[in-house]
Protein backbone atom coordinates (compact mmCIF):
# COMPACT_ATOMS: atom_id res chain seq x y z
CA UNK A 1 0.00 0.00 0.00
CA UNK A 2 1.18 3.52 -0.82
CA UNK A 3 0.05 6.75 0.78
CA UNK A 4 0.11 10.00 -1.21
CA UNK A 5 -0.21 13.17 0.86
CA UNK A 6 -1.27 16.34 -0.94
CA UNK A 7 -0.68 19.62 0.87
CA UNK A 8 -3.23 22.08 -0.44
CA UNK A 9 -6.54 21.83 -2.30
CA UNK A 10 -6.44 24.66 -4.79
CA UNK A 11 -6.70 24.07 -8.52
CA UNK A 12 -3.44 22.13 -8.77
CA UNK A 13 -3.65 20.14 -5.52
CA UNK A 14 -7.33 19.29 -5.97
CA UNK A 15 -6.65 18.16 -9.54
CA UNK A 16 -3.76 15.92 -8.47
CA UNK A 17 -5.63 14.40 -5.53
CA UNK A 18 -8.86 13.66 -7.36
CA UNK A 19 -7.15 12.05 -10.36
CA UNK A 20 -4.94 9.96 -8.08
CA UNK A 21 -8.02 8.76 -6.21
CA UNK A 22 -9.69 7.93 -9.51
CA UNK A 23 -6.68 6.00 -10.82
CA UNK A 24 -5.36 4.23 -7.72
CA UNK A 25 -7.08 1.18 -6.28
CA UNK A 26 -8.56 1.05 -2.78
CA UNK A 27 -5.34 -0.46 -1.46
CA UNK A 28 -3.68 2.95 -1.79
CA UNK A 29 -4.44 6.10 0.23
CA UNK A 30 -4.81 9.69 -0.90
CA UNK A 31 -4.71 12.26 1.92
CA UNK A 32 -5.45 15.94 1.38
CA UNK A 33 -4.34 18.49 3.95
CA UNK A 34 -5.74 21.99 3.55
CA UNK A 35 -6.61 24.72 6.08
CA UNK A 36 -9.76 25.58 4.13
CA UNK A 37 -13.16 23.92 4.44
CA UNK A 38 -14.23 25.20 1.02
CA UNK A 39 -12.92 25.07 -2.53
CA UNK A 40 -12.83 28.40 -4.35
CA UNK A 41 -12.92 28.94 -8.11
CA UNK A 42 -10.64 31.95 -7.83
CA UNK A 43 -11.00 33.29 -11.42
CA UNK A 44 -14.61 34.27 -10.66
CA UNK A 45 -13.72 36.23 -7.52
CA UNK A 46 -13.48 39.32 -9.70
CA UNK A 47 -17.22 39.03 -10.36
CA UNK A 48 -17.90 38.67 -6.63
CA UNK A 49 -15.86 41.84 -6.17
CA UNK A 50 -18.31 43.88 -8.28
CA UNK A 51 -21.53 42.26 -7.08
CA UNK A 52 -22.19 40.12 -10.16
CA UNK A 53 -21.78 36.92 -8.15
CA UNK A 54 -21.88 36.03 -4.47
CA UNK A 55 -19.44 34.03 -2.40
CA UNK A 56 -21.77 31.04 -2.58
CA UNK A 57 -21.49 31.10 -6.38
CA UNK A 58 -17.72 30.51 -6.30
CA UNK A 59 -17.18 28.09 -3.38
CA UNK A 60 -18.37 24.67 -2.21
CA UNK A 61 -17.68 22.43 0.79
CA UNK A 62 -14.76 20.04 0.33
CA UNK A 63 -15.68 17.43 2.95
CA UNK A 64 -18.65 15.80 1.16
CA UNK A 65 -16.80 15.76 -2.18
CA UNK A 66 -13.78 14.00 -0.69
CA UNK A 67 -15.91 11.65 1.38
CA UNK A 68 -17.80 10.61 -1.75
CA UNK A 69 -14.65 9.33 -3.47
CA UNK A 70 -12.70 8.12 -0.44
CA UNK A 71 -10.09 10.85 -0.07
CA UNK A 72 -8.84 11.26 3.51
CA UNK A 73 -9.47 14.96 4.16
CA UNK A 74 -7.74 16.81 6.99
CA UNK A 75 -8.73 20.43 7.50
CA UNK A 76 -5.35 21.57 8.73
CA UNK A 77 -2.35 23.64 7.77
CA UNK A 78 0.98 21.99 7.03
CA UNK A 79 3.81 23.03 9.34
CA UNK A 80 6.89 21.05 8.36
CA UNK A 81 8.28 18.36 6.07
CA UNK A 82 10.58 15.61 7.40
CA UNK A 83 11.75 13.83 4.23
CA UNK A 84 14.17 11.56 6.13
CA UNK A 85 11.88 10.79 9.03
CA UNK A 86 12.93 11.70 12.54
CA UNK A 87 12.88 10.63 16.15
CA UNK A 88 9.13 9.99 16.06
CA UNK A 89 9.05 8.16 12.71
CA UNK A 90 11.60 6.25 10.63
CA UNK A 91 9.68 7.06 7.46
CA UNK A 92 9.10 10.46 5.81
CA UNK A 93 6.31 12.51 7.35
CA UNK A 94 4.73 15.94 7.59
CA UNK A 95 3.44 17.74 10.65
CA UNK A 96 0.08 19.50 10.52
CA UNK A 97 -2.09 21.64 12.76
CA UNK A 98 -5.86 21.37 12.49
CA UNK A 99 -7.96 24.42 11.66
CA UNK A 100 -11.33 22.63 11.69
CA UNK A 101 -13.19 19.34 12.05
CA UNK A 102 -13.50 19.95 15.79
CA UNK A 103 -9.75 19.55 16.27
CA UNK A 104 -8.67 23.18 16.05
CA UNK A 105 -5.10 23.62 17.31
CA UNK A 106 -4.31 19.91 17.52
CA UNK A 107 -1.05 18.80 15.89
CA UNK A 108 -0.44 15.54 14.10
CA UNK A 109 2.17 13.60 12.12
CA UNK A 110 1.25 12.04 8.78
CA UNK A 111 3.69 9.66 7.13
CA UNK A 112 3.84 9.49 3.35
CA UNK A 113 5.26 7.48 0.48
CA UNK A 114 4.77 10.38 -1.93
CA UNK A 115 4.26 14.05 -1.11
CA UNK A 116 2.80 16.75 -3.34
CA UNK A 117 3.32 20.32 -2.15
CA UNK A 118 0.37 22.29 -3.53
CA UNK A 119 0.19 24.87 -0.75
CA UNK A 120 -0.09 27.79 -3.15
CA UNK A 121 0.98 31.28 -2.09
CA UNK A 122 1.03 33.32 1.04
CA UNK A 123 -0.72 36.60 0.21
CA UNK A 124 2.16 38.78 1.36
CA UNK A 125 0.30 42.01 2.11
CA UNK A 126 2.90 42.77 4.77
CA UNK A 127 5.54 43.40 2.10
CA UNK A 128 4.00 46.84 1.52
CA UNK A 129 3.06 49.03 4.44
CA UNK A 130 -0.67 49.76 4.48
CA UNK A 131 -1.57 47.18 1.81
CA UNK A 132 -4.59 44.92 2.10
CA UNK A 133 -8.03 44.70 3.67
CA UNK A 134 -6.99 43.45 7.11
CA UNK A 135 -4.28 45.85 8.25
CA UNK A 136 -4.31 48.33 5.42
CA UNK A 137 -6.38 50.63 3.25
CA UNK A 138 -6.92 48.65 0.05
CA UNK A 139 -9.31 45.84 -0.85
CA UNK A 140 -8.50 42.49 -2.46
CA UNK A 141 -10.14 39.86 -4.66
CA UNK A 142 -7.64 37.10 -3.88
CA UNK A 143 -10.14 35.13 -1.76
CA UNK A 144 -13.92 34.86 -1.84
CA UNK A 145 -14.19 36.67 1.50
CA UNK A 146 -11.88 39.43 0.29
CA UNK A 147 -13.96 39.80 -2.88
CA UNK A 148 -17.18 40.03 -0.84
CA UNK A 149 -15.66 42.84 1.20
CA UNK A 150 -14.39 44.54 -1.96
CA UNK A 151 -17.91 44.62 -3.38
CA UNK A 152 -19.27 46.09 -0.15
CA UNK A 153 -16.79 48.95 -0.44
CA UNK A 154 -17.47 49.28 -4.16
CA UNK A 155 -21.21 49.63 -3.58
CA UNK A 156 -20.52 52.37 -1.02
CA UNK A 157 -18.51 54.22 -3.66
CA UNK A 158 -21.37 53.90 -6.17
CA UNK A 159 -23.82 55.25 -3.60
CA UNK A 160 -21.61 58.28 -3.05
CA UNK A 161 -21.42 58.87 -6.79
CA UNK A 162 -25.18 58.65 -7.14
CA UNK A 163 -25.30 61.37 -4.50
CA UNK A 164 -23.08 63.49 -6.75
CA UNK A 165 -19.71 62.84 -5.08
CA UNK A 166 -16.78 62.16 -7.43
CA UNK A 167 -14.73 59.03 -6.65
CA UNK A 168 -11.16 58.03 -7.49
CA UNK A 169 -10.45 54.36 -8.26
CA UNK A 170 -6.93 52.88 -8.37
CA UNK A 171 -6.51 49.23 -9.41
CA UNK A 172 -3.33 47.24 -10.05
CA UNK A 173 -0.38 45.73 -8.21
CA UNK A 174 0.75 46.64 -4.71
CA UNK A 175 4.48 45.88 -4.91
CA UNK A 176 7.32 45.85 -7.42
CA UNK A 177 7.53 42.04 -7.42
CA UNK A 178 3.86 41.15 -7.82
CA UNK A 179 2.38 38.56 -10.13
CA UNK A 180 -1.27 38.06 -11.21
CA UNK A 181 -1.49 41.26 -13.25
CA UNK A 182 -4.25 39.47 -15.15
CA UNK A 183 -6.61 39.40 -12.15
CA UNK A 184 -6.15 43.13 -11.60
CA UNK A 185 -6.59 43.71 -15.35
CA UNK A 186 -9.94 41.93 -15.22
CA UNK A 187 -11.02 43.78 -12.12
CA UNK A 188 -10.29 47.29 -13.39
CA UNK A 189 -12.39 46.68 -16.50
CA UNK A 190 -15.22 45.11 -14.52
CA UNK A 191 -15.18 48.15 -12.24
CA UNK A 192 -15.39 50.43 -15.26
CA UNK A 193 -18.18 48.32 -16.78
CA UNK A 194 -20.27 48.35 -13.60
CA UNK A 195 -19.88 52.11 -13.21
CA UNK A 196 -21.22 52.60 -16.72
CA UNK A 197 -24.16 50.30 -15.97
CA UNK A 198 -24.87 52.27 -12.79
CA UNK A 199 -24.91 55.50 -14.77
CA UNK A 200 -22.09 57.11 -12.78
CA UNK A 201 -19.06 56.61 -15.02
CA UNK A 202 -18.79 60.35 -15.58
CA UNK A 203 -18.12 60.84 -11.86
CA UNK A 204 -15.28 58.29 -11.74
CA UNK A 205 -11.55 58.76 -12.23
CA UNK A 206 -10.09 55.29 -12.87
CA UNK A 207 -6.35 54.68 -12.80
CA UNK A 208 -4.20 51.61 -13.31
CA UNK A 209 -0.86 51.17 -11.52
CA UNK A 210 1.38 48.20 -12.24
CA UNK A 211 4.93 46.90 -11.99
CA UNK A 212 4.83 45.97 -15.68
CA UNK A 213 7.33 47.86 -17.82
CA UNK A 214 4.66 48.06 -20.52
CA UNK A 215 0.94 47.47 -20.66
CA UNK A 216 0.17 43.93 -21.72
CA UNK A 217 3.25 42.33 -20.16
CA UNK A 218 1.05 40.15 -17.86
CA UNK A 219 4.13 38.63 -16.24
CA UNK A 220 4.98 36.63 -19.36
CA UNK A 221 7.01 39.29 -21.14
CA UNK A 222 4.03 40.20 -23.30
CA UNK A 223 3.11 38.36 -26.46
CA UNK A 224 2.18 38.81 -30.08
CA UNK A 225 -1.31 37.81 -31.19
CA UNK A 226 -2.15 36.60 -34.64
CA UNK A 227 -5.11 38.58 -35.95
CA UNK A 228 -6.25 38.66 -39.56
CA UNK A 229 -2.90 37.47 -40.83
CA UNK A 230 -0.95 40.07 -38.83
CA UNK A 231 0.94 39.87 -35.55
CA UNK A 232 -0.26 42.49 -33.07
CA UNK A 233 1.57 43.03 -29.79
CA UNK A 234 -0.26 42.67 -26.49
CA UNK A 235 1.03 46.16 -25.69
CA UNK A 236 -0.93 47.64 -28.59
CA UNK A 237 -3.95 45.54 -27.64
CA UNK A 238 -3.85 46.67 -23.99
CA UNK A 239 -3.13 50.33 -24.66
CA UNK A 240 -6.03 50.48 -27.10
CA UNK A 241 -8.40 48.94 -24.55
CA UNK A 242 -7.32 51.23 -21.70
CA UNK A 243 -7.66 54.27 -23.96
CA UNK A 244 -11.07 53.16 -25.23
CA UNK A 245 -12.35 52.73 -21.65
CA UNK A 246 -10.84 56.00 -20.44
CA UNK A 247 -8.46 54.44 -17.90
CA UNK A 248 -5.18 56.22 -17.19
CA UNK A 249 -2.11 54.12 -16.47
CA UNK A 250 1.11 54.32 -14.49
CA UNK A 251 3.52 51.47 -15.20
CA UNK A 252 6.94 50.35 -14.02
CA UNK A 253 5.79 51.21 -10.51
CA UNK A 254 6.69 49.74 -7.13
CA UNK A 255 4.10 50.65 -4.52
CA UNK A 256 6.12 51.04 -1.32
CA UNK A 257 3.53 52.48 1.04
CA UNK A 258 -0.22 52.97 1.27
CA UNK A 259 -1.85 55.46 3.57
CA UNK A 260 -5.52 56.17 3.96
CA UNK A 261 -6.50 57.59 0.58
CA UNK A 262 -2.93 57.82 -0.75
CA UNK A 263 -0.53 55.48 -2.57
CA UNK A 264 3.23 56.11 -2.62
CA UNK A 265 5.32 54.58 -5.39
CA UNK A 266 8.72 54.53 -7.07
CA UNK A 267 9.16 54.08 -10.82
CA UNK A 268 11.78 52.44 -13.00
CA UNK A 269 13.37 55.79 -13.81
CA UNK A 270 13.95 56.40 -10.09
CA UNK A 271 11.23 59.01 -9.73
CA UNK A 272 8.67 58.83 -6.95
CA UNK A 273 5.04 59.79 -6.90
CA UNK A 274 1.76 59.79 -5.02
CA UNK A 275 -1.70 58.79 -6.15
CA UNK A 276 -4.85 59.63 -4.22
CA UNK A 277 -7.81 57.25 -4.09
CA UNK A 278 -11.21 56.66 -2.60
CA UNK A 279 -11.30 52.97 -3.60
CA UNK A 280 -8.28 50.83 -4.40
CA UNK A 281 -7.70 47.15 -5.13
CA UNK A 282 -4.02 46.23 -5.34
CA UNK A 283 -2.80 42.65 -5.78
CA UNK A 284 -0.22 41.67 -3.13
CA UNK A 285 3.07 39.91 -3.85
CA UNK A 286 3.19 36.15 -3.32
CA UNK A 287 5.54 34.14 -1.12
CA UNK A 288 5.73 30.56 0.06
CA UNK A 289 3.45 29.70 2.97
CA UNK A 290 6.37 29.26 5.35
CA UNK A 291 6.78 25.48 5.47
CA UNK A 292 9.87 24.30 7.33
CA UNK A 293 11.96 21.22 6.56
CA UNK A 294 14.00 19.13 8.99
CA UNK A 295 16.60 16.40 8.61
CA UNK A 296 16.42 13.10 10.51
CA UNK A 297 18.57 14.51 13.33
CA UNK A 298 16.18 17.45 13.72
CA UNK A 299 18.45 20.04 12.11
CA UNK A 300 16.83 22.71 9.95
CA UNK A 301 17.16 21.97 6.23
CA UNK A 302 14.58 24.45 4.94
CA UNK A 303 17.13 26.15 2.70
CA UNK A 304 17.93 22.82 1.06
CA UNK A 305 14.33 22.04 0.15
CA UNK A 306 13.01 25.54 -0.50
CA UNK A 307 14.14 28.56 -2.50
CA UNK A 308 14.56 31.89 -0.63
CA UNK A 309 11.03 32.92 -1.65
CA UNK A 310 9.62 29.90 0.21
CA UNK A 311 8.67 27.86 -2.86
CA UNK A 312 9.84 24.25 -3.20
CA UNK A 313 12.78 23.44 -5.45
CA UNK A 314 12.09 21.08 -8.33
CA UNK A 315 13.91 19.89 -11.47
CA UNK A 316 14.66 23.38 -12.74
CA UNK A 317 18.01 25.01 -13.46
CA UNK A 318 18.40 27.51 -10.62
CA UNK A 319 21.85 28.70 -11.73
CA UNK A 320 21.86 32.52 -11.61
CA UNK A 321 21.96 33.80 -15.18
CA UNK A 322 21.67 37.06 -17.05
CA UNK A 323 18.39 37.59 -18.89
CA UNK A 324 20.13 37.06 -22.22
CA UNK A 325 21.19 33.59 -21.06
CA UNK A 326 17.75 32.39 -19.96
CA UNK A 327 16.65 29.27 -21.78
CA UNK A 328 13.37 27.43 -22.12
CA UNK A 329 15.23 24.37 -20.86
CA UNK A 330 15.73 26.08 -17.47
CA UNK A 331 12.10 25.36 -16.62
CA UNK A 332 11.06 22.19 -14.77
CA UNK A 333 9.50 19.26 -16.58
CA UNK A 334 8.59 16.72 -13.88
CA UNK A 335 8.26 18.98 -10.78
CA UNK A 336 10.19 16.41 -8.76
CA UNK A 337 12.55 17.57 -6.02
CA UNK A 338 16.15 16.76 -7.01
CA UNK A 339 17.15 15.52 -3.54
CA UNK A 340 14.02 13.60 -2.55
CA UNK A 341 12.43 11.83 -5.53
CA UNK A 342 9.18 11.14 -3.67
CA UNK A 343 8.49 14.88 -3.21
CA UNK A 344 6.86 17.02 -5.90
CA UNK A 345 5.54 20.59 -6.07
CA UNK A 346 2.71 21.82 -8.29
CA UNK A 347 1.01 25.10 -9.16
CA UNK A 348 2.28 28.19 -7.39
CA UNK A 349 4.11 26.04 -4.82
CA UNK A 350 7.05 25.18 -7.12
CA UNK A 351 9.99 27.56 -7.31
CA UNK A 352 10.46 28.96 -10.83
CA UNK A 353 14.06 29.18 -12.05
CA UNK A 354 13.71 32.87 -12.88
CA UNK A 355 11.15 35.32 -14.17
CA UNK A 356 9.57 35.31 -17.60
CA UNK A 357 9.41 39.08 -17.97
CA UNK A 358 12.73 40.86 -18.27
CA UNK A 359 14.13 41.73 -14.81
CA UNK A 360 14.47 45.46 -14.17
CA UNK A 361 15.61 47.75 -11.38
CA UNK A 362 15.28 51.44 -10.69
CA UNK A 363 18.48 53.52 -10.32
CA UNK A 364 17.94 53.08 -6.58
CA UNK A 365 18.33 49.31 -6.95
CA UNK A 366 14.64 48.53 -6.40
CA UNK A 367 13.49 45.48 -8.43
CA UNK A 368 10.38 46.38 -10.41
CA UNK A 369 9.13 43.60 -12.66
CA UNK A 370 6.39 40.95 -12.62
CA UNK A 371 7.19 37.55 -11.18
CA UNK A 372 6.05 34.53 -13.22
CA UNK A 373 2.39 33.46 -13.04
CA UNK A 374 1.72 29.76 -12.40
CA UNK A 375 -2.05 29.80 -12.04
CA UNK A 376 -5.08 28.75 -14.06
CA UNK A 377 -4.73 26.25 -16.88
CA UNK A 378 -0.98 25.55 -16.38
CA UNK A 379 -1.63 24.86 -12.70
CA UNK A 380 -4.24 22.22 -13.50
CA UNK A 381 -2.10 20.62 -16.20
CA UNK A 382 0.90 20.41 -13.86
CA UNK A 383 -1.23 18.87 -11.11
CA UNK A 384 -2.56 16.16 -13.43
CA UNK A 385 0.87 15.51 -14.91
CA UNK A 386 2.45 14.93 -11.50
CA UNK A 387 -0.46 12.69 -10.55
CA UNK A 388 0.17 10.55 -13.64
CA UNK A 389 3.86 10.21 -12.77
CA UNK A 390 3.14 9.23 -9.15
CA UNK A 391 0.54 6.72 -10.28
CA UNK A 392 3.09 5.10 -12.56
CA UNK A 393 5.82 5.17 -9.91
CA UNK A 394 3.49 3.45 -7.44
CA UNK A 395 2.92 0.83 -10.14
CA UNK A 396 6.64 0.25 -10.65
CA UNK A 397 8.11 3.07 -12.74
CA UNK A 398 11.54 4.15 -11.50
CA UNK A 399 11.17 7.83 -12.34
CA UNK A 400 8.50 10.34 -13.44
CA UNK A 401 6.84 9.26 -16.66
CA UNK A 402 5.15 12.50 -17.72
CA UNK A 403 6.42 16.00 -18.45
CA UNK A 404 4.71 19.40 -18.44
CA UNK A 405 7.26 22.16 -18.92
CA UNK A 406 5.70 25.61 -19.16
CA UNK A 407 8.18 26.18 -21.99
CA UNK A 408 6.48 23.37 -23.92
CA UNK A 409 2.92 24.04 -22.79
CA UNK A 410 0.20 26.11 -24.35
CA UNK A 411 -2.46 27.87 -22.31
CA UNK A 412 -5.79 29.55 -22.89
CA UNK A 413 -6.86 32.59 -20.93
CA UNK A 414 -10.22 34.31 -20.89
CA UNK A 415 -9.96 37.73 -19.23
CA UNK A 416 -13.25 39.38 -18.37
CA UNK A 417 -13.69 43.02 -19.24
CA UNK A 418 -17.25 43.28 -17.92
CA UNK A 419 -20.09 40.88 -17.16
CA UNK A 420 -23.46 40.96 -18.90
CA UNK A 421 -25.72 38.74 -21.00
CA UNK A 422 -25.67 41.11 -23.95
CA UNK A 423 -23.08 43.75 -23.08
CA UNK A 424 -20.37 41.63 -21.44
CA UNK A 425 -16.92 41.42 -22.99
CA UNK A 426 -13.83 39.31 -22.45
CA UNK A 427 -10.47 38.89 -24.10
CA UNK A 428 -10.02 35.26 -25.15
CA UNK A 429 -6.34 34.48 -25.70
CA UNK A 430 -4.20 31.46 -26.38
CA UNK A 431 -0.43 31.43 -25.95
CA UNK A 432 2.08 28.76 -26.98
CA UNK A 433 4.35 28.22 -25.22
CA UNK A 434 3.72 30.02 -21.93
CA UNK A 435 7.45 30.53 -21.36
CA UNK A 436 8.90 31.89 -24.60
CA UNK A 437 11.46 29.78 -26.43
CA UNK A 438 13.59 32.19 -28.44
CA UNK A 439 15.78 29.41 -29.83
CA UNK A 440 12.82 27.60 -31.37
CA UNK A 441 10.84 30.73 -32.27
CA UNK A 442 13.40 33.49 -32.97
CA UNK A 443 12.37 37.06 -32.31
CA UNK A 444 9.01 36.56 -30.59
CA UNK A 445 9.55 33.32 -28.68
CA UNK A 446 6.17 31.81 -29.51
CA UNK A 447 4.34 30.02 -32.30
CA UNK A 448 1.94 32.49 -33.91
CA UNK A 449 -0.18 29.65 -35.27
CA UNK A 450 -1.19 28.87 -31.70
CA UNK A 451 -0.98 32.35 -30.16
CA UNK A 452 -4.01 34.44 -31.01
CA UNK A 453 -6.92 36.26 -29.44
CA UNK A 454 -9.83 38.62 -29.70
CA UNK A 455 -12.17 40.55 -27.42
CA UNK A 456 -15.94 40.56 -27.47
CA UNK A 457 -19.23 39.17 -26.16
CA UNK A 458 -18.35 35.62 -27.25
CA UNK A 459 -15.34 35.70 -24.92
CA UNK A 460 -17.59 36.66 -22.03
CA UNK A 461 -19.89 33.74 -22.68
CA UNK A 462 -16.91 31.40 -22.83
CA UNK A 463 -15.74 32.63 -19.42
CA UNK A 464 -19.24 32.29 -17.98
CA UNK A 465 -19.51 28.71 -19.29
CA UNK A 466 -16.04 27.87 -17.96
CA UNK A 467 -17.08 29.08 -14.50
CA UNK A 468 -19.86 26.49 -14.32
CA UNK A 469 -17.90 23.78 -16.11
CA UNK A 470 -14.89 23.90 -13.79
CA UNK A 471 -16.97 24.01 -10.62
CA UNK A 472 -18.88 20.99 -11.96
CA UNK A 473 -15.55 19.25 -12.61
CA UNK A 474 -14.15 20.13 -9.18
CA UNK A 475 -17.26 18.69 -7.51
CA UNK A 476 -16.51 15.39 -9.26
CA UNK A 477 -19.91 15.16 -10.89
CA UNK A 478 -20.61 12.55 -13.59
CA UNK A 479 -18.16 12.80 -16.47
CA UNK A 480 -15.78 15.13 -14.61
CA UNK A 481 -12.68 13.35 -15.92
CA UNK A 482 -13.69 14.22 -19.49
CA UNK A 483 -13.45 17.97 -18.86
CA UNK A 484 -9.93 19.19 -19.75
CA UNK A 485 -7.75 21.19 -17.38
Amino acid sequence: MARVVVLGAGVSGHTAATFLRDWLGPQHEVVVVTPNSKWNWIPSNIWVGVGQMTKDDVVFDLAPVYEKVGIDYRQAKALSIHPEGGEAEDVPYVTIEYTGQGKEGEKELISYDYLINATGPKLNFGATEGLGPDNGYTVSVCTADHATHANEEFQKAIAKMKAGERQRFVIGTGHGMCTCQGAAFEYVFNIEHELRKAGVRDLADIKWISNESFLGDFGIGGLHLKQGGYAASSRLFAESLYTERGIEWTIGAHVNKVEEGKIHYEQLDGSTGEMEFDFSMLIPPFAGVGLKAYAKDGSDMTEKLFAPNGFLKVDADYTPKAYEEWKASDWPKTYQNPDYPNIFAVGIAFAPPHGISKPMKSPNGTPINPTPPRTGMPSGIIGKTVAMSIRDMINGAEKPTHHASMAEMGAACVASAGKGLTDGTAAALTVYPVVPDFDKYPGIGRDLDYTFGEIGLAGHWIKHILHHMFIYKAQLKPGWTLIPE
Side-chain angles (χ1 to χ4, degrees):
M1 182 189 81
R3 175 185 287 166
V4 184
V5 175
V6 182
L7 305 179
V11 169
S12 204
H14 187 70
T15 298
T18 52
F19 273 107
L20 280 167
R21 184 66 284 163
D22 185 60
W23 294 330
L24 296 176
Q27 70 272 28
H28 302 296
E29 292 182 75
V30 178
V31 181
V32 172
V33 177
T34 176
N36 303 310
S37 64
K38 296 181 182 292
W39 192 85
N40 177 202
W41 178 239
I42 294 174
S44 292
N45 285 353
I46 54 138
W47 286 338
V48 177
V50 294
Q52 284 297 314
M53 283 189 173
T54 68
K55 175 182 174 179
D56 290 341
D57 292 324
V58 299
V59 302
F60 62 81
D61 290 327
L62 281 169
V65 173
Y66 286 157
E67 182 179 6
K68 175 175 64 176
V69 295
I71 289 176
D72 185 350
Y73 163 59
R74 317 284 181 96
Q75 190 186 334
K77 62 180 179 180
L79 300 177
S80 60
I81 301 174
H82 302 252
E84 302 167 354
E87 292 183 4
E89 292 273 357
D90 289 330
V91 296
Y93 66 91
V94 295
T95 64
I96 67 172
E97 180 180 339
Y98 281 90
T99 60
Q101 297 177 311
K103 299 180 180 180
E104 289 81 353
E106 291 184 24
K107 294 183 180 179
E108 188 173 275
L109 276 62
I110 306 176
S111 62
Y112 64 84
D113 296 287
Y114 292 91
L115 179 68
I116 300 176
N117 179 15
T119 48
K122 170 188 175 182
L123 302 175
N124 195 16
F125 291 105
T128 300
E129 182 182 346
L131 183 69
D134 297 324
N135 299 302
Y137 304 98
T138 60
V139 301
S140 162
V141 291
C142 293
T143 72
D145 285 331
H146 283 175
T148 299
H149 169 255
N151 178 54
E152 292 169 355
E153 296 302 310
F154 180 51
Q155 298 306 322
K156 291 177 185 177
I158 290 178
K160 290 179 182 178
M161 298 168 79
K162 287 185 174 180
E165 184 178 343
R166 194 168 195 85
Q167 294 286 285
R168 299 159 297 185
F169 296 82
V170 179
I171 314 297
T173 58
H175 189 273
M177 298 295 286
C178 283
T179 186
C180 276
Q181 287 77 13
F185 171 92
E186 290 186 274
Y187 194 62
V188 73
F189 287 107
N190 272 269
I191 286 282
E192 195 276 338
H193 182 75
E194 293 301 319
L195 293 176
R196 278 191 284 117
K197 285 168 60 178
V200 293
R201 179 63 180 88
D202 59 323
L203 289 173
D205 298 315
I206 307 177
K207 295 184 178 181
W208 169 260
I209 185 167
S210 171
N211 58 350
E212 302 163 287
S213 62
F214 60 90
L215 283 182
D217 178 285
F218 298 128
I220 58 172
L223 65 154
H224 286 76
L225 303 169
K226 189 174 182 180
Q227 293 181 315
Y230 297 92
S233 72
S234 55
R235 177 175 181 169
L236 177 63
F237 172 86
E239 287 184 355
S240 298
L241 187 57
Y242 279 77
T243 300
E244 176 187 316
R245 298 287 183 92
I247 299 172
E248 300 178 21
W249 63 84
T250 298
I251 52 176
H254 162 60
V255 174
N256 49 37
K257 184 180 180 180
V258 182
E259 299 177 311
E260 186 172 6
K262 185 178 293 186
I263 292 167
H264 301 263
Y265 61 90
E266 174 187 354
Q267 290 189 269
L268 279 168
D269 61 5
S271 64
T272 59
E274 298 177 352
M275 194 175 291
E276 295 185 340
F277 69 90
D278 299 293
F279 176 98
S280 178
M281 195 292 293
L282 301 178
I283 296 290
F286 292 169
V289 297
L291 276 173
K292 304 290 288 183
Y294 296 97
K296 188 172 181 62
D297 63 5
S299 59
D300 192 317
M301 54 179 284
T302 304
E303 291 184 1
K304 179 179 181 180
L305 207 61
F306 293 92
N309 56 14
F311 298 120
L312 196 139
K313 296 176 184 176
V314 292
D315 60 314
D317 184 349
Y318 294 106
T319 307
K321 300 176 182 178
Y323 173 72
E324 293 73 21
E325 298 174 354
W326 288 359
K327 298 288 185 181
S329 57
D330 296 340
W331 285 77
K333 294 179 173 64
T334 67
Y335 304 90
Q336 182 184 46
N337 180 262
D339 296 307
Y340 299 97
N342 61 344
I343 298 179
F344 295 78
V346 297
I348 295 176
F350 84 83
H354 45 63
I356 302 175
S357 301
K358 186 175 182 178
M360 296 187 180
K361 290 184 178 180
S362 74
N364 305 315
T366 304
I368 307 176
N369 56 263
T371 50
R374 308 184 295 290
T375 56
M377 186 175 177
S379 186
I381 292 172
I382 292 167
K384 185 176 182 180
T385 298
V386 166
M388 288 190 287
S389 287
I390 291 176
R391 173 201 61 193
D392 294 345
M393 292 170 75
I394 288 173
N395 290 326
E398 295 183 358
K399 59 183 181 180
T401 52
H402 290 76
H403 294 178
S405 169
M406 289 176 60
E408 300 170 356
M409 178 195 305
C413 175
V414 186
S416 173
K419 192 174 188 301
L421 295 177
T422 59
D423 61 352
T425 54
L429 312 172
T430 64
V431 56
Y432 179 82
V434 178
V435 174
D437 186 338
F438 292 105
D439 291 331
K440 190 172 183 179
Y441 307 106
I444 58 177
R446 296 188 174 97
D447 188 337
L448 283 180
D449 288 335
Y450 299 101
T451 303
F452 50 85
E454 61 180 37
I455 186 168
L457 178 61
H460 166 70
W461 272 101
I462 291 172
K463 187 172 182 73
H464 190 80
I465 291 168
L466 290 175
H467 163 88
H468 293 285
M469 186 170 71
F470 282 119
I471 288 181
Y472 181 96
K473 176 184 174 74
Q475 291 175 321
L476 310 184
K477 292 185 176 180
W480 70 271
T481 60
L482 301 177
I483 299 173
E485 274 46 66

